[in-house]
Amino acid sequence: MNSGPALVSILRQGDTLVASVHTALDDSEMVRFQHDLVRQIGEHRARGIIIDVAALDVIDSFASRTLRSIADIARLRGAVTVIVGIQPDVAFAMVCLGMDMGEVPTALDLEEGLAYLSRLRGLGSSHG
Amino acid sequence: MSTARATNEPQESGGAADVAALIPMLRRIVAARIGQHPAAEDLVQETLLRVLAAEDRIEPGMLEPYAIATVRNVMATMWRQDDRDARNQHRIHDPSEPDEAEEVVVASEEQSAITEALRRLTDREREVLLAHEVSGRATQSLAEETGSTANAVAAQLKRTRARLRVEYLLALERTEPPTDRCRAVLMALSSADRRRQREVDAARHLLECDLCARLSQPLLGRGPVRDNEIHVPISADPDIVAARSAAREMAVRAGFAGADLTMLATAVSEVARNIVRFASTGEVTVELLEQPRPGIRVVARDTGPGIADVDRALEDGYSTYQGLGLGLPGARRLMDEFNIVSETGHGTTVSMTKWFDTKGRG
């Protein structure tokens, strides 16, 4: 089992899961994170997911592919994913590398991410 | 006081008495550092000599601090000297006698290996080496004998010693190297000749040849310690993160900042991942460049199956695993220079460089 401080924390806030990545993850840790998060969507009946990647100093092809997979899987499980906190330098390198987040919505930070999800919900329900 | 007195005045002068008063303190300092070392008293005397010689330059009242600083320097010099002596000690003939039975066996094995190694040198090499190391003849006198220069003889001795080390290690293993390249690589390592190591591609050979990888261990420590190069062995996922952190650290020292750092780390991540996915083992070398301008060179080597179609691997979107196919082409875009050499069945070497002062970016 993993010892030491948690690499990722997943907290529940209403029907939203907030997953914060605390440190650089290697590929297998990234995959484990994907499994954990997808499992918790069902457990908590989550409708929205925010993934905070502010602590990632590198988002390479594998990391961005995994993040996109998480969002795709979550969508099939009925939840919307927002990626927040991509650092400016990381964004720059991602563009050079030729990657983006595809259809996955992104937001500046956690606050903007929550606002985005509540706007979506506002559109989706008639009584606001 | 004695500040204006010349140092070669009689020892009974007031200055000398002041200096003599320092002796107990100096002995305490030396004893605290090196205890009952046989050189302890010599160090004290050496310090006194230096203090006496400098006495007329020392301001009144500063004699004691000056003596303390001096004794520390004297001790540090001794450590350095001992260190260097131990490193450069001539080892062909060791007069000390082993006691334990085990030591005797080891010593006799070492002895026969040295004999064998000496036998493999040419007559001329052996003659000069033994004349210098055992009979203690100076390079100058050896040079005169052959109408050469002392420097040339010293260089020849250096080569001979490097060869002796290689032959000794081979004799100790009782083995012959499996390939023609082995000796050239081991020689380049033994003589700490970096240009030659590059020419024979020593780093790749060490990945491929188990024997040389093992034998090279005692040889790698030779030559000046280089802190502007890091080797990261790559065999599993965590090594990818280790490689990119190493590159990042090195780049910070080179003066990189901001997006350049992230681009470098991302490119390293991509090439290191290729090693884990396709070759299973290899290494990433990160080197700080100063010429022609500051930069970072990253070389990723593996001994995997090689890439059959390099051009295609560099196309966007071409992927043989479930990646985005952005690994190699992406890394190429992130770096300033990019070169890939792959030989089917032997492995792949990716060399890429990022320059510090690129494109006038601020």
Side-chain angles (χ1 to χ4, degrees):
Chain A
M1 275 267 104
N2 206 350
S3 59
L7 306 172
V8 176
S9 60
I10 302 175
L11 300 172
R12 183 181 162 203
Q13 188 169 351
D15 60 1
T16 302
L17 288 179
V18 178
S20 306
V21 183
H22 298 304
T23 180
L25 299 181
D26 70 32
D27 294 5
S28 29
E29 289 161 349
M30 202 80 200
V31 170
R32 203 178 320 141
F33 167 52
Q34 174 180 332
H35 287 306
D36 288 352
L37 191 53
V38 168
R39 186 171 42 79
Q40 294 206 20
I41 296 171
E43 280 173 14
H44 296 299
R45 311 188 71 78
R47 306 272 298 280
I49 296 172
I50 292 178
I51 303 178
D52 187 350
V53 294
L56 290 186
D57 64 343
V58 165
I59 297 183
D60 58 12
S61 61
F62 186 83
S64 62
R65 185 177 75 91
T66 310
L67 290 173
R68 276 160 66 167
S69 302
I70 292 175
D72 287 347
I73 297 168
R75 187 171 46 79
L76 292 173
R77 303 268 283 154
V80 177
T81 305
V82 188
I83 310 277
V84 305
I86 295 178
Q87 296 298 303
D89 295 341
V90 174
F92 195 92
M94 286 174 73
V95 171
C96 287
L97 191 52
M99 293 178 310
D100 59 22
M101 279 296 152
E103 303 282 298
V104 184
T106 53
L108 186 65
D109 55 17
L110 192 56
E111 196 184 334
E112 293 294 326
L114 286 167
Y116 176 89
L117 285 180
S118 67
R119 271 203 305 279
L120 271 190
R121 210 151 306 148
L123 291 175
S125 60
S126 49
H127 56 271
Chain B
M1 277 300 287
S2 57
T3 44
R5 214 184 299 266
T7 55
N8 52 3
E9 274 198 10
Q11 290 296 300
E12 289 74 25
S13 68
D18 283 351
V19 172
L22 295 169
I23 293 176
M25 178 195 73
L26 291 176
R27 286 203 176 121
R28 267 202 318 280
I29 294 175
V30 170
R33 296 290 169 88
I34 65 173
Q36 296 300 308
H37 194 282
E41 191 56 29
D42 289 350
L43 292 178
V44 172
Q45 297 300 328
E46 170 73 24
T47 308
L48 289 175
L49 272 179
R50 291 196 192 184
V51 173
L52 269 175
E55 204 200 341
D56 52 348
R57 287 184 280 116
I58 305 172
E59 299 203 3
M62 291 306 285
L63 200 61
E64 202 174 284
Y66 185 88
I68 294 173
T70 306
V71 75
R72 283 197 186 132
N73 287 342
V74 168
M75 283 191 285
T77 308
M78 184 186 81
W79 294 138
R80 272 199 297 277
Q81 187 65 42
D82 280 3
D83 241 31
R84 198 176 306 134
D85 288 352
R87 250 198 338 266
N88 296 342
Q89 201 182 12
H90 293 187
R91 291 197 183 80
I92 288 189
H93 175 61
D94 182 0
S96 64
E97 293 288 334
D99 312 323
E100 303 288 326
E102 265 175 55
E103 286 175 27
V104 174
V105 175
V106 170
S108 81
E109 273 180 14
E110 285 174 356
Q111 188 63 45
S112 60
I114 259 292
T115 311
E116 174 60 23
L118 277 169
R119 203 181 57 72
R120 291 183 193 172
L121 299 178
T122 66
D123 291 346
R124 178 68 198 147
E125 284 174 332
R126 187 164 51 240
E127 210 173 282
V128 173
L129 184 71
L130 293 181
H132 180 69
E133 304 278 337
V134 181
S135 317
R137 288 190 54 192
T139 48
Q140 184 60 49
S141 97
L142 287 167
E144 280 161 10
E145 196 173 274
T146 53
S148 168
T149 66
N151 281 342
V153 172
Q156 189 204 341
L157 277 169
K158 194 167 166 252
R159 272 197 306 279
T160 307
R161 288 197 202 98
R163 250 199 84 190
L164 189 67
R165 280 191 289 269
V166 171
E167 296 300 341
Y168 170 77
L169 289 171
L170 287 170
L172 206 56
E173 290 264 334
R174 295 167 208 270
T175 183
E176 267 302 297
T179 74
D180 298 342
R181 269 178 70 203
C182 294
R183 269 202 170 78
V185 168
L186 290 173
M187 257 310 276
L189 293 171
S190 179
S191 49
D193 182 341
R194 299 192 52 82
R195 193 177 53 83
R196 185 81 188 117
Q197 287 169 21
R198 239 189 295 270
E199 276 170 18
V200 297
D201 201 356
R204 160 158 294 282
H205 181 76
L206 291 186
L207 279 179
E208 291 173 352
C209 178
D210 290 340
L211 177 72
C212 290
R214 195 165 67 244
L215 292 187
S216 67
Q217 286 310 315
L219 297 176
L220 287 177
R222 301 204 61 82
V225 180
R226 292 170 57 86
D227 59 353
N228 55 358
E229 191 178 307
I230 312 179
H231 296 263
V232 185
I234 306 289
S235 59
D237 284 345
D239 301 332
I240 301 175
V241 177
R244 71 186 188 218
S245 315
R248 180 182 279 271
E249 264 169 45
M250 194 69 101
V252 167
R253 274 177 43 201
F256 280 89
D260 277 344
L261 275 180
T262 308
M263 285 161 72
L264 174 75
T266 309
V268 170
S269 199
E270 299 295 348
V271 294
R273 172 171 299 108
N274 275 359
I275 296 178
V276 175
R277 290 287 190 279
F278 298 118
S280 67
T281 57
E283 67 165 10
V284 169
T285 308
V286 184
E287 191 186 351
L288 205 61
L289 300 179
E290 267 147 37
Q291 295 297 329
R293 53 210 159 109
I296 295 278
R297 178 189 291 140
V298 177
V299 181
R301 297 182 185 83
D302 67 57
T303 52
I307 302 172
D309 189 345
V310 170
D311 289 337
R312 204 160 158 224
L314 287 171
E315 279 169 21
D316 274 334
Y318 175 73
S319 174
T320 46
Y321 68 105
Q322 295 299 303
L324 292 174
L326 286 172
L328 285 177
R332 179 160 71 167
R333 274 196 294 275
L334 289 166
M335 303 292 280
D336 295 324
E337 284 172 26
F338 187 93
N339 183 43
I340 177 166
V341 178
S342 190
E343 200 183 328
T344 313
H346 276 275
T348 305
T349 303
V350 178
S351 321
M352 45 191 203
T353 310
K354 192 149 192 71
W355 300 111
F356 179 45
D357 51 346
T358 54
K359 303 150 213 140
R361 203 186 301 130

